[in-house]
Amino acid sequence: MGIKINDMSTSLESKKVIIAGGSSGIGLATAVILAKEQANVTITGRSAARLADAVKNRPGIHTASLDSNNRKDLDAFFGAQGNIDHLVIALSGAKGAGKFAELSLKDLREGFEGKFWPQLNTLQAALPYINKGGSITLVTAISAISKAPGTSGLAAINGALELMIPSIAKEIQPLRINAVSPGVVNTPWWDFLPADAKADTFHEYAAQIPTGRVGEPDEVADTIIFLMRNGNITGTIIRCDGGLSL
């Protein structure tokens, strides 16, 4: 007797997708791809102005101004949305980097408040509404495993998220959850640096990365889309880092 394989469509057309933290960078790049595939996609962010700017001349993307640290608002938002097919959590903060001896623990705490807790808040609030054939994808970072000087705080934030993924996957099965771990990517996350310093930093990283360059948001977005389509992957962290973790 042959093995029966589920005939599951990989089309994302008309699928309902929420992207938390979708006003720029990887989240927005993912939304653009989904809109082209005619998915029903909504991006969230704290700034209504940034959201409006993000979707200007990008038809097919809906927006919702939402603070993912506010659990009451998250619960109300997902309750109003009803059932969804896919959730992407691309929320991130800009604090937590620095050599440990000089690292401000206040900044590290704010780093957790900017990424770790908002991601978990969003995940918990959304869980009751995600269709069982759907998926959840967290965006972490290669700092979780890179062991690079100056990244111990970032490793704590992203490593904590990644360590939770396999256990959560077993708890929520058959709903799937995975994470995509980018390396150095050309996104607004780096805009805390002046333009010249940012270019120099990217040049220095490119010399260390086996692919010889920093990544682009579309490349990470493609990996997220792959995880949405592939119904046989859960509890997994995919590195999209140009080989930086090697």
Side-chain angles (χ1 to χ4, degrees):
M1 181 181 293
I3 299 175
K4 184 178 180 181
I5 300 175
N6 290 333
D7 182 20
M8 297 181 67
S9 171
T10 59
S11 172
L12 295 171
E13 183 177 353
S14 300
K15 297 296 185 182
K16 192 170 184 178
V17 186
I18 305 295
I19 302 177
S23 63
S24 65
I26 293 165
L28 181 57
T30 305
V32 170
I33 294 173
L34 289 166
K36 289 178 180 177
E37 298 210 14
Q38 298 184 331
N40 179 358
V41 57
T42 298
I43 61 174
T44 75
R46 285 180 295 181
S47 169
R50 287 185 65 186
L51 287 167
D53 187 60
V55 300
K56 191 180 299 180
N57 300 320
R58 291 187 174 111
I61 303 175
H62 309 288
T63 66
S65 181
L66 184 65
D67 183 351
S68 288
N69 270 314
N70 188 321
R71 182 56 182 271
K72 182 178 178 182
D73 286 354
L74 281 168
D75 288 338
F77 169 74
F78 283 107
Q81 290 292 315
N83 286 359
I84 65 175
D85 296 296
H86 301 285
L87 173 68
V88 178
I89 308 180
L91 299 161
S92 187
K95 294 190 176 181
K99 292 186 177 180
F100 182 75
E102 299 130 21
L103 178 62
S104 163
L105 297 187
K106 178 178 179 293
D107 281 353
L108 178 55
R109 186 175 289 109
E110 290 177 2
F112 270 89
E113 293 293 339
K115 182 165 188 177
F116 180 79
W117 294 116
Q119 289 217 13
L120 296 190
N121 258 332
T122 303
L123 175 55
Q124 275 194 342
L127 269 179
Y129 304 101
I130 305 174
N131 292 325
K132 295 304 180 186
S135 73
I136 303 158
T137 307
L138 276 57
V139 178
T140 56
I142 206 62
S143 56
I145 63 165
S146 67
K147 305 178 182 67
T151 65
S152 62
L154 299 176
I157 297 166
N158 291 292
L161 288 169
E162 292 187 4
L163 284 170
M164 297 179 75
I165 295 291
S167 295
I168 295 174
K170 289 186 176 182
E171 292 175 9
I172 66 175
Q173 60 184 315
L175 180 61
R176 299 182 298 109
I177 181 170
N178 298 287
V180 173
S181 176
V184 182
V185 182
N186 183 16
T187 70
W189 188 88
W190 292 94
D191 287 351
F192 67 92
L193 293 172
D196 289 348
K198 180 177 175 180
D200 289 343
T201 299
F202 282 1
H203 181 74
E204 291 173 9
Y205 272 115
Q208 306 170 40
I209 299 171
T211 56
R213 62 177 179 84
V214 302
E216 294 296 332
D218 287 352
E219 294 169 316
V220 185
D222 282 340
T223 310
I224 295 170
I225 299 294
F226 163 75
L227 287 171
M228 286 184 191
R229 295 189 196 277
N230 194 315
N232 199 39
I233 300 179
T234 193
T236 297
I237 291 88
I238 295 184
R239 312 289 174 194
C240 185
D241 64 355
L244 185 59
S245 57
L246 298 177

